[in-house]
Amino acid sequence: MLSVQQAEQIILTSIQPLDPQRNTEIVYLLAASGRILAQEITSQLDFPHWDNSAMDGYAVRHADVAESNAENPATLEIIEEIPAGKAPQKTIQPGQAARIFTGAMMPAGADTVVMQEVTQRSGNSVTILNAPAPQSFVRHKGSFSPAGTPLLSPGISIGATEIAVLASAQCTQIPVYRRPVVAILSTGDELVTPDRPLKPGQLVDSNQYALATLVRQTGAIPQMLGIIPDDPQQLQNAISQALEFADMVISSGGVSVGEYDFVDQILSSLGGEIQIRAIAVKPGKPLTFATFSSSSRQAPIIYFGLPGNPVSSLVTFWRFVQPAIKKLSGISDFWQPMFVQAKTQHSLKSDGKRESYFWGKLHLVNGEYEFTLAGGSQSSGNLINLAQTNGLAVLPVGKTLINARDLVQVLQVR
């Protein structure tokens, strides 16, 4: 049985990100939100595109106003008004100024903007009551980013700010990684779909729907293959089918040591290299991780066999599968699990034999995280109190108690 850290290293070392040469597609600007950028973005435009004003005021020659003050003001002739979007038509000569507005292009001859609050206007003249510093309120051409320099790096997730940069660069067709395809199946004769009436001894298959949702939230494409009975041949056919098209396969159930747990032996018979069979984690001990080589693909196909208990299935997804999907998708950083320190509002107890996870809610209170344990039993079969979970408090191996109000490491999830 491997430690959590050993298992994590094996899994993440086995994951090869999608190849940007083979796994890139072009999407339009508004369809790029949430996608992973596959190529560096540059622009032939300077940012700003030209010298412009950062303030409503007057564009002047600094030499004309350098000595001005309330007792000895400088009075200049206003020769032009320049709103944003209009190109200047005149050159500022000694003793002259232009009325200018925020974002408007600086006229030739001017090198400084005087904000309107320190001026007095009278007809076609303006009096400067306070000397500005040279270059005040002027945003110079290329000062944010000169033409030809990188604007966005590959491997980043595209959000609103990146969309704004792409739009500003007039980049409307965006190279992004394709979304990884993740096949999902549930195993067990006892399972039925949510739309069917329950018979004695049957359970609703919640895992497949939860896992598909998490896969989609993580940026991949879930392909739900349904419920596979506890029949070795049917299970082998389903897994074999999934391996033909998916980048990753996730099954839940069938990975323990019971008479109806066939997953591991089927993976071996199909040529899979089983690297993990069990992890010292609670909940989620029976977890299978395997890889399949393919002559038609550069990267191995990844297989996760998750426990059947609903909480165990979700906890192991958050801890091990989600980072793997993120790395596979081409994200260059921040695919690792994210932990924060929080003050627990409840005592947390375990036997110390396995790394134990307790689910609940993580809140930011006065700049510090607090963790509140979910009410009810912390049972791997108790799916109900998992609702609204956004944090998993961790008790490491050898630690049996963390008292209320003490600090605890919490894995951020959802």
Side-chain angles (χ1 to χ4, degrees):
M1 188 164 54
L2 298 175
S3 71
V4 168
Q5 289 69 33
Q6 289 171 321
E8 179 183 58
Q9 183 176 12
I10 290 171
I11 291 168
L12 295 180
T13 300
S14 300
I15 302 297
Q16 296 182 25
L18 294 174
D19 183 352
Q21 303 304 317
R22 301 184 181 186
N23 296 288
T24 297
E25 58 190 25
I26 302 298
V27 299
Y28 288 103
L29 183 61
L30 284 178
S33 177
R35 302 299 297 271
I36 309 302
L37 188 65
Q39 297 174 15
E40 184 177 82
I41 300 296
T42 60
S43 174
Q44 296 310 305
L45 296 173
D46 289 301
F47 295 91
H49 308 322
W50 46 73
D51 289 1
N52 70 86
S53 176
M55 187 71 65
D56 291 347
Y58 296 88
V60 302
R61 298 170 65 251
H62 186 262
D64 289 340
V65 298
E67 304 299 328
S68 61
N69 54 54
E71 290 74 30
N72 185 31
T75 300
L76 307 174
E77 177 191 5
I78 302 171
I79 64 169
E80 186 176 18
E81 182 171 286
I82 312 170
K86 179 182 176 182
Q89 302 298 308
K90 298 180 180 180
T91 298
I92 303 300
Q93 303 293 342
Q96 295 180 338
R99 177 72 166 123
I100 197 167
F101 297 89
T102 302
M105 190 174 183
M106 288 288 290
D111 57 16
T112 300
V113 172
V114 181
M115 62 180 180
Q116 62 188 25
E117 287 84 353
V118 295
T119 67
Q120 290 180 350
R121 180 169 180 170
S122 177
N124 289 328
S125 65
V126 60
T127 298
I128 311 301
L129 303 175
N130 190 16
Q135 310 292 323
S136 289
F137 305 117
V138 177
R139 297 184 289 220
H140 292 283
K141 176 182 178 180
S143 60
F144 300 162
S145 177
T149 57
L151 297 176
L152 298 173
S153 301
I156 63 170
S157 179
I158 299 173
T161 53
E162 291 75 28
I163 292 289
V165 170
L166 291 165
S168 297
Q170 298 184 309
C171 185
T172 58
Q173 298 188 57
I174 318 302
V176 297
Y177 286 100
R178 67 171 178 84
R179 296 184 188 273
V181 177
V182 180
I184 305 169
L185 56 96
S186 296
T187 68
D189 291 338
E190 75 279 13
L191 299 178
V192 297
T193 56
D195 58 338
R196 292 182 57 187
L198 281 176
K199 296 178 181 179
Q202 291 184 329
L203 296 171
V204 175
D205 174 24
S206 63
N207 286 353
Q208 189 158 188
Y209 297 88
L211 293 172
T213 301
L214 287 170
V215 165
R216 186 177 292 109
Q217 290 175 349
T218 309
I221 300 173
Q223 294 287 346
M224 298 170 65
L225 302 186
I227 299 168
I228 312 301
D230 288 323
D231 175 83
Q233 190 58 55
Q234 290 190 58
L235 186 55
Q236 179 167 321
N237 291 343
I239 293 174
S240 181
Q241 174 194 348
L243 293 172
E244 291 178 3
F245 69 85
D247 301 292
M248 180 184 293
V249 182
I250 303 174
S251 64
S252 65
V255 292
S256 192
V257 292
E259 286 80 359
Y260 297 97
D261 296 322
F262 304 119
V263 169
D264 284 8
Q265 65 189 59
I266 290 172
L267 297 180
S268 295
S269 69
L270 292 174
E273 180 186 354
I274 300 179
Q275 301 187 47
I276 299 173
R277 296 179 185 272
I279 303 174
V281 62
K282 182 180 180 180
K285 173 184 172 182
L287 184 144
T288 293
F289 174 75
T291 55
F292 289 82
S293 298
S294 171
S295 58
S296 61
R297 307 194 202 183
Q298 184 182 29
I301 304 166
I302 303 300
Y303 191 100
F304 282 98
L306 305 184
N309 279 329
V311 175
S312 299
S313 183
L314 294 185
V315 168
T316 51
F317 182 95
W318 283 319
R319 185 61 183 86
F320 302 108
V321 183
Q322 194 169 60
I325 294 176
K326 288 181 178 180
K327 183 177 180 182
L328 175 65
S329 70
I331 296 176
S332 59
D333 204 354
F334 302 113
W335 43 259
Q336 301 89 343
M338 299 296 291
F339 292 89
V340 297
Q341 271 203 330
K343 186 179 293 184
T344 178
Q345 302 303 298
H346 301 89
S347 295
L348 306 175
K349 300 177 182 180
S350 78
D351 60 12
K353 296 178 180 179
R354 289 181 280 166
E355 185 163 297
S356 299
Y357 290 75
F358 299 83
W359 51 98
K361 296 181 182 179
L362 193 62
H363 304 276
L364 193 60
V365 180
N366 297 325
E368 296 182 346
Y369 282 106
E370 293 185 358
F371 175 78
T372 303
L373 193 66
S377 66
Q378 292 271 314
S379 164
S380 60
N382 184 9
L383 177 64
I384 303 305
N385 72 343
L386 200 66
Q388 295 298 296
T389 289
N390 67 349
L392 300 174
V394 184
L395 261 69
V397 174
K399 187 82 171 179
T400 59
L401 174 66
I402 294 181
N403 291 310
R405 309 305 297 170
D406 284 350
L407 292 176
V408 63
Q409 287 287 105
V410 179
L411 172 65
Q412 295 180 299
V413 301
R414 287 193 79 81

